């Protein structure tokens, strides 16, 4: 794990498509503001210019609400796409549990991406930390399985091992 550092709130980008949750919980923000010193550090990706928040939106909002100028953060090198990809599974095993809507939004984010939508259902499920049956159902919902032309386009999938298969 990377070292924890203090980072000014005004450097953190929160509106670049890395927020997968449908909405922030105002009660949790208030609770976190009261216990900010006990909260884990937020997680960011730094591309050499910008710091993209991918985990810790409630904590960041709590720090802002409390009037803090900085927040404790773990920063890793990467790109905005890396931050988005990491955000897909944020909170699956800690923090505020994800709602069904949050999980669906994560899958939709992948299905809306030209590259990522070519992944297999299992690979998407792995990235989003959801069931592959949810991914299958959502592909069907958005028409990726019912439209014959689209169905033929997605017959080739990229698996977790990086190999492409029919």
């Amino acid at each position: 794990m990377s070292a924890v550092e203090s980072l000014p709130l005004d450097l953190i980008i929160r509106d670049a498509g890395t927020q997968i949750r449908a909405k922030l919980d105002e009660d949790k923000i208030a609770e976190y503001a009261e216990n900010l010193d006990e909260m884990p550090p937020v997680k960011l990706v730094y591309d050499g210019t910008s710091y993209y928040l991918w985990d810790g939106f409630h904590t960041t909002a709590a720090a802002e609400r409390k009037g803090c100028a900085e927040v404790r953060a773990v920063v890793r090198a990467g790109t905005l796409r890396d931050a988005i990809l990491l955000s897909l599974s944020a909170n699956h095993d800690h923090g505020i549990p994800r709602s069904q809507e949050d999980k669906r939004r994560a899958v939709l984010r992948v299905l809306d991406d030209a590259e990522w939508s070519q992944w297999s259902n299992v690979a998407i499920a792995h990235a989003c930390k959801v069931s592959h049956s949810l991914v299958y159902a959502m592909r069907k919902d958005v028409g990726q399985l019912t439209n014959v032309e689209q169905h033929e386009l997605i017959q080739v999938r990229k698996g977790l091992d990086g190999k492409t298969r029919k």
Side-chain angles (χ1 to χ4, degrees):
M1 182 177 199
S2 301
V4 176
E5 58 186 273
S6 235
L7 196 72
L9 283 172
D10 60 358
L11 292 181
I12 298 173
I13 297 175
R14 296 181 255 178
D15 60 356
T18 58
Q19 172 56 289
I20 300 301
R21 286 197 189 272
K23 62 181 180 176
L24 293 181
D25 182 327
E26 292 298 323
D27 292 337
K28 285 293 182 185
I29 292 171
E31 178 185 324
Y32 284 13
E34 292 298 317
N35 302 296
L36 204 51
D37 294 336
E38 300 168 23
M39 300 307 300
V42 301
K43 296 176 184 171
L44 306 161
V45 168
Y46 181 62
D47 68 1
T49 304
S50 301
Y51 292 91
Y52 298 106
L53 181 65
W54 65 270
D55 189 14
F57 284 86
H58 283 89
T59 301
T60 303
E64 188 174 62
R65 181 174 290 179
K66 194 170 181 178
C68 299
E70 299 180 331
V71 67
R72 292 179 328 112
V74 173
V75 181
R76 66 189 293 173
T79 65
L80 173 57
R81 281 184 69 78
D82 294 327
I84 293 168
L85 194 57
L86 289 165
S87 74
L88 298 173
S89 63
N91 296 117
H92 102 278
D93 64 354
H94 70 277
I96 303 165
R98 298 182 301 169
S99 68
Q100 283 303 108
E101 185 178 0
D102 296 337
K103 293 174 188 178
R104 292 179 62 82
R105 285 172 54 97
V107 173
L108 282 174
R109 183 67 176 87
V110 175
L111 295 178
D112 285 343
D113 185 272
E115 176 189 346
W116 295 338
S117 65
Q118 299 306 305
W119 293 354
S120 69
N121 291 349
V122 172
I124 293 172
H126 179 77
C128 298
K129 301 293 189 252
V130 298
S131 70
H132 68 277
S133 58
L134 173 63
V135 177
Y136 175 82
M138 292 189 64
R139 276 195 198 274
K140 192 173 179 182
D141 287 349
V142 298
Q144 286 192 359
L145 293 179
T146 56
N147 182 298
V148 173
E149 292 80 21
Q150 286 186 354
H151 183 65
E152 289 173 358
L153 288 174
I154 62 171
Q155 287 302 302
V156 176
R157 296 274 190 238
K158 186 183 231 180
L160 288 174
D161 59 3
K163 293 181 181 175
T164 303
R165 296 179 181 82
K166 283 195 170 212

